mmCIF file of all heavy atoms in Angstrom:
data_model
loop_
_atom_site.group_PDB
_atom_site.id
_atom_site.type_symbol
_atom_site.label_atom_id
_atom_site.label_comp_id
_atom_site.label_asym_id
_atom_site.label_seq_id
_atom_site.Cartn_x
_atom_site.Cartn_y
_atom_site.Cartn_z
ATOM 1 N N THR A 15 0.872 -1.182 -0.035
ATOM 2 C CA THR A 15 -0.003 -0.008 0.004
ATOM 3 C C THR A 15 0.920 1.325 -0.019
ATOM 4 O O THR A 15 1.856 1.267 0.816
ATOM 5 C CB THR A 15 -0.912 -0.017 1.262
ATOM 6 O OG1 THR A 15 -1.728 -1.250 1.278
ATOM 7 C CG2 THR A 15 -1.806 1.278 1.201
ATOM 8 N N PHE A 16 0.590 2.225 -0.854
ATOM 9 C CA PHE A 16 1.508 3.361 -1.020
ATOM 10 C C PHE A 16 0.703 4.633 -0.962
ATOM 11 O O PHE A 16 -0.530 4.701 -1.159
ATOM 12 C CB PHE A 16 2.331 3.281 -2.335
ATOM 13 C CG PHE A 16 1.467 3.341 -3.569
ATOM 14 C CD1 PHE A 16 1.153 4.640 -4.121
ATOM 15 C CD2 PHE A 16 1.038 2.204 -4.244
ATOM 16 C CE1 PHE A 16 0.432 4.758 -5.226
ATOM 17 C CE2 PHE A 16 0.295 2.375 -5.409
ATOM 18 C CZ PHE A 16 -0.050 3.611 -5.919
ATOM 19 N N SER A 17 1.487 5.699 -0.643
ATOM 20 C CA SER A 17 0.849 7.105 -0.713
ATOM 21 C C SER A 17 1.969 7.966 -1.450
ATOM 22 O O SER A 17 3.035 7.539 -1.735
ATOM 23 C CB SER A 17 0.555 7.578 0.722
ATOM 24 O OG SER A 17 1.840 7.732 1.484
ATOM 25 N N ARG A 18 1.609 9.123 -1.650
ATOM 26 C CA ARG A 18 2.429 10.150 -2.212
ATOM 27 C C ARG A 18 3.047 9.745 -3.612
ATOM 28 O O ARG A 18 4.200 10.000 -3.883
ATOM 29 C CB ARG A 18 3.519 10.615 -1.291
ATOM 30 C CG ARG A 18 2.910 11.137 0.064
ATOM 31 C CD ARG A 18 4.016 11.745 0.966
ATOM 32 N NE ARG A 18 4.514 12.892 0.443
ATOM 33 C CZ ARG A 18 3.925 14.148 0.568
ATOM 34 N NH1 ARG A 18 2.752 14.241 1.077
ATOM 35 N NH2 ARG A 18 4.566 15.222 0.045
ATOM 36 N N GLY A 19 2.304 8.970 -4.359
ATOM 37 C CA GLY A 19 2.717 8.489 -5.648
ATOM 38 C C GLY A 19 2.773 9.723 -6.670
ATOM 39 O O GLY A 19 1.898 10.478 -6.764
ATOM 40 N N THR A 20 3.843 9.725 -7.506
ATOM 41 C CA THR A 20 3.966 10.867 -8.390
ATOM 42 C C THR A 20 3.636 10.475 -9.763
ATOM 43 O O THR A 20 3.950 11.173 -10.822
ATOM 44 C CB THR A 20 5.514 11.365 -8.409
ATOM 45 O OG1 THR A 20 6.352 10.290 -8.766
ATOM 46 C CG2 THR A 20 5.896 11.792 -6.967
ATOM 47 N N GLY A 21 3.040 9.247 -10.010
ATOM 48 C CA GLY A 21 2.744 8.739 -11.384
ATOM 49 C C GLY A 21 2.034 9.803 -12.284
ATOM 50 O O GLY A 21 2.332 10.107 -13.367
ATOM 51 N N PHE A 22 0.870 10.273 -11.772
ATOM 52 C CA PHE A 22 0.018 11.167 -12.514
ATOM 53 C C PHE A 22 0.810 12.531 -12.792
ATOM 54 O O PHE A 22 0.768 13.064 -13.913
ATOM 55 C CB PHE A 22 -1.325 11.437 -11.758
ATOM 56 C CG PHE A 22 -1.999 12.658 -12.370
ATOM 57 C CD1 PHE A 22 -2.654 12.644 -13.429
ATOM 58 C CD2 PHE A 22 -2.008 13.928 -11.581
ATOM 59 C CE1 PHE A 22 -3.364 13.717 -14.084
ATOM 60 C CE2 PHE A 22 -2.664 14.956 -12.150
ATOM 61 C CZ PHE A 22 -3.318 14.843 -13.375
ATOM 62 N N TRP A 23 1.389 13.079 -11.753
ATOM 63 C CA TRP A 23 2.063 14.310 -11.903
ATOM 64 C C TRP A 23 3.182 14.215 -12.941
ATOM 65 O O TRP A 23 3.385 15.144 -13.855
ATOM 66 C CB TRP A 23 2.671 14.658 -10.478
ATOM 67 C CG TRP A 23 2.933 16.146 -10.359
ATOM 68 C CD1 TRP A 23 2.921 17.183 -11.458
ATOM 69 C CD2 TRP A 23 3.275 16.902 -9.187
ATOM 70 N NE1 TRP A 23 3.135 18.348 -10.929
ATOM 71 C CE2 TRP A 23 3.438 18.167 -9.552
ATOM 72 C CE3 TRP A 23 3.467 16.478 -7.901
ATOM 73 C CZ2 TRP A 23 3.813 19.163 -8.599
ATOM 74 C CZ3 TRP A 23 3.821 17.391 -6.969
ATOM 75 C CH2 TRP A 23 3.961 18.715 -7.330
ATOM 76 N N GLU A 24 3.940 13.059 -12.902
ATOM 77 C CA GLU A 24 5.031 12.848 -13.861
ATOM 78 C C GLU A 24 4.475 12.793 -15.285
ATOM 79 O O GLU A 24 4.944 13.370 -16.177
ATOM 80 C CB GLU A 24 5.745 11.595 -13.518
ATOM 81 C CG GLU A 24 6.681 11.624 -12.329
ATOM 82 C CD GLU A 24 8.070 12.257 -12.617
ATOM 83 O OE1 GLU A 24 8.223 12.620 -13.759
ATOM 84 O OE2 GLU A 24 8.845 12.209 -11.702
ATOM 85 N N ARG A 25 3.372 12.022 -15.504
ATOM 86 C CA ARG A 25 2.907 11.840 -16.792
ATOM 87 C C ARG A 25 2.252 13.129 -17.356
ATOM 88 O O ARG A 25 2.303 13.365 -18.469
ATOM 89 C CB ARG A 25 1.822 10.701 -16.889
ATOM 90 C CG ARG A 25 0.536 10.969 -16.225
ATOM 91 C CD ARG A 25 -0.252 9.684 -16.030
ATOM 92 N NE ARG A 25 -0.550 9.099 -17.293
ATOM 93 C CZ ARG A 25 -0.323 7.814 -17.637
ATOM 94 N NH1 ARG A 25 0.336 6.942 -16.623
ATOM 95 N NH2 ARG A 25 -0.575 7.282 -18.769
ATOM 96 N N SER A 26 1.775 14.038 -16.521
ATOM 97 C CA SER A 26 1.280 15.295 -16.977
ATOM 98 C C SER A 26 2.329 16.333 -17.555
ATOM 99 O O SER A 26 1.993 17.214 -18.251
ATOM 100 C CB SER A 26 0.484 16.010 -15.888
ATOM 101 O OG SER A 26 1.372 16.509 -14.828
ATOM 102 N N LEU A 27 3.546 15.952 -17.237
ATOM 103 C CA LEU A 27 4.691 16.920 -17.639
ATOM 104 C C LEU A 27 5.286 16.460 -19.062
ATOM 105 O O LEU A 27 6.097 17.210 -19.565
ATOM 106 C CB LEU A 27 5.769 16.838 -16.647
ATOM 107 C CG LEU A 27 5.363 17.363 -15.260
ATOM 108 C CD1 LEU A 27 6.432 17.231 -14.229
ATOM 109 C CD2 LEU A 27 4.891 18.888 -15.267
ATOM 110 N N HIS A 28 4.955 15.196 -19.511
ATOM 111 C CA HIS A 28 5.578 14.796 -20.788
ATOM 112 C C HIS A 28 4.827 15.341 -22.008
ATOM 113 O O HIS A 28 3.618 15.389 -22.011
ATOM 114 C CB HIS A 28 5.445 13.162 -20.796
ATOM 115 C CG HIS A 28 6.557 12.641 -19.944
ATOM 116 N ND1 HIS A 28 7.884 12.335 -20.422
ATOM 117 C CD2 HIS A 28 6.487 12.158 -18.641
ATOM 118 C CE1 HIS A 28 8.607 11.854 -19.424
ATOM 119 N NE2 HIS A 28 7.746 11.733 -18.376
ATOM 120 N N GLU A 29 5.541 15.659 -23.003
ATOM 121 C CA GLU A 29 5.027 16.069 -24.287
ATOM 122 C C GLU A 29 4.550 14.856 -25.086
ATOM 123 O O GLU A 29 3.475 14.983 -25.722
ATOM 124 C CB GLU A 29 6.116 16.768 -25.176
ATOM 125 C CG GLU A 29 6.531 18.166 -24.467
ATOM 126 C CD GLU A 29 7.559 18.882 -25.251
ATOM 127 O OE1 GLU A 29 7.968 18.271 -26.384
ATOM 128 O OE2 GLU A 29 8.021 19.931 -24.864
ATOM 129 N N GLN A 30 5.234 13.704 -25.032
ATOM 130 C CA GLN A 30 4.735 12.523 -25.732
ATOM 131 C C GLN A 30 3.711 11.866 -24.891
ATOM 132 O O GLN A 30 3.470 12.194 -23.747
ATOM 133 C CB GLN A 30 5.918 11.556 -25.904
ATOM 134 C CG GLN A 30 6.995 12.138 -26.898
ATOM 135 C CD GLN A 30 8.109 11.035 -27.042
ATOM 136 O OE1 GLN A 30 9.077 11.086 -26.215
ATOM 137 N NE2 GLN A 30 8.008 10.044 -27.886
ATOM 138 N N SER A 31 2.984 10.967 -25.574
ATOM 139 C CA SER A 31 1.918 10.259 -24.860
ATOM 140 C C SER A 31 2.569 9.373 -23.671
ATOM 141 O O SER A 31 3.311 8.428 -24.046
ATOM 142 C CB SER A 31 1.095 9.354 -25.836
ATOM 143 O OG SER A 31 0.410 8.447 -25.126
ATOM 144 N N PRO A 32 2.107 9.679 -22.420
ATOM 145 C CA PRO A 32 2.670 8.824 -21.335
ATOM 146 C C PRO A 32 2.218 7.412 -21.511
ATOM 147 O O PRO A 32 2.918 6.437 -21.077
ATOM 148 C CB PRO A 32 2.106 9.392 -20.147
ATOM 149 C CG PRO A 32 1.708 10.843 -20.528
ATOM 150 C CD PRO A 32 1.351 10.722 -21.964
ATOM 151 N N TYR A 33 1.044 7.162 -22.030
ATOM 152 C CA TYR A 33 0.573 5.827 -22.272
ATOM 153 C C TYR A 33 1.581 4.905 -23.234
ATOM 154 O O TYR A 33 1.796 3.832 -22.836
ATOM 155 C CB TYR A 33 -0.790 5.818 -23.070
ATOM 156 C CG TYR A 33 -1.509 4.574 -23.115
ATOM 157 C CD1 TYR A 33 -2.222 4.061 -22.061
ATOM 158 C CD2 TYR A 33 -1.396 3.740 -24.268
ATOM 159 C CE1 TYR A 33 -2.849 2.775 -22.114
ATOM 160 C CE2 TYR A 33 -2.053 2.514 -24.348
ATOM 161 C CZ TYR A 33 -2.781 2.036 -23.242
ATOM 162 O OH TYR A 33 -3.395 0.773 -23.299
ATOM 163 N N LEU A 34 2.070 5.586 -24.167
ATOM 164 C CA LEU A 34 3.008 4.852 -25.011
ATOM 165 C C LEU A 34 4.486 4.744 -24.257
ATOM 166 O O LEU A 34 5.119 3.737 -24.396
ATOM 167 C CB LEU A 34 3.296 5.508 -26.299
ATOM 168 C CG LEU A 34 2.021 5.678 -27.206
ATOM 169 C CD1 LEU A 34 2.338 6.334 -28.498
ATOM 170 C CD2 LEU A 34 1.443 4.258 -27.498
ATOM 171 N N LEU A 35 4.735 5.815 -23.506
ATOM 172 C CA LEU A 35 6.035 5.710 -22.748
ATOM 173 C C LEU A 35 6.116 4.645 -21.764
ATOM 174 O O LEU A 35 7.171 4.159 -21.383
ATOM 175 C CB LEU A 35 6.315 7.107 -22.097
ATOM 176 C CG LEU A 35 6.621 8.254 -22.979
ATOM 177 C CD1 LEU A 35 6.715 9.500 -22.275
ATOM 178 C CD2 LEU A 35 7.856 8.057 -23.941
ATOM 179 N N GLU A 36 4.927 4.208 -21.280
ATOM 180 C CA GLU A 36 4.820 3.136 -20.163
ATOM 181 C C GLU A 36 5.261 1.797 -20.839
ATOM 182 O O GLU A 36 5.457 0.941 -20.056
ATOM 183 C CB GLU A 36 3.522 3.113 -19.601
ATOM 184 C CG GLU A 36 3.149 4.232 -18.605
ATOM 185 C CD GLU A 36 1.786 4.047 -18.083
ATOM 186 O OE1 GLU A 36 0.877 3.530 -18.823
ATOM 187 O OE2 GLU A 36 1.500 4.437 -16.876
ATOM 188 N N GLY A 37 5.263 1.645 -22.038
ATOM 189 C CA GLY A 37 5.406 0.312 -22.655
ATOM 190 C C GLY A 37 6.907 -0.179 -22.568
ATOM 191 O O GLY A 37 7.785 0.585 -21.997
ATOM 192 N N ARG A 38 7.205 -1.337 -22.999
ATOM 193 C CA ARG A 38 8.527 -1.803 -22.956
ATOM 194 C C ARG A 38 9.448 -0.942 -23.875
ATOM 195 O O ARG A 38 9.086 -0.460 -24.933
ATOM 196 C CB ARG A 38 8.601 -3.251 -23.378
ATOM 197 C CG ARG A 38 7.890 -4.146 -22.454
ATOM 198 C CD ARG A 38 8.041 -5.616 -22.842
ATOM 199 N NE ARG A 38 7.369 -6.524 -21.970
ATOM 200 C CZ ARG A 38 7.864 -6.974 -20.917
ATOM 201 N NH1 ARG A 38 9.100 -6.503 -20.505
ATOM 202 N NH2 ARG A 38 7.196 -7.782 -20.062
ATOM 203 N N ARG A 39 10.621 -0.605 -23.296
ATOM 204 C CA ARG A 39 11.496 0.326 -24.004
ATOM 205 C C ARG A 39 11.829 -0.143 -25.406
ATOM 206 O O ARG A 39 11.795 0.637 -26.381
ATOM 207 C CB ARG A 39 12.786 0.376 -23.233
ATOM 208 C CG ARG A 39 13.848 1.454 -23.746
ATOM 209 C CD ARG A 39 15.066 1.465 -22.884
ATOM 210 N NE ARG A 39 14.762 1.895 -21.615
ATOM 211 C CZ ARG A 39 14.771 3.140 -21.282
ATOM 212 N NH1 ARG A 39 14.957 4.125 -22.259
ATOM 213 N NH2 ARG A 39 14.482 3.588 -20.030
ATOM 214 N N GLY A 40 11.990 -1.419 -25.711
ATOM 215 C CA GLY A 40 12.303 -1.891 -26.966
ATOM 216 C C GLY A 40 11.317 -1.664 -28.049
ATOM 217 O O GLY A 40 11.540 -1.249 -29.206
#
């Protein structure tokens, strides 16, 4: 169980689609 997660805040700062950035790097 976690708190103070920065996932949403981080994704809101990206110019590219965060949905695609979450995929496997390759």
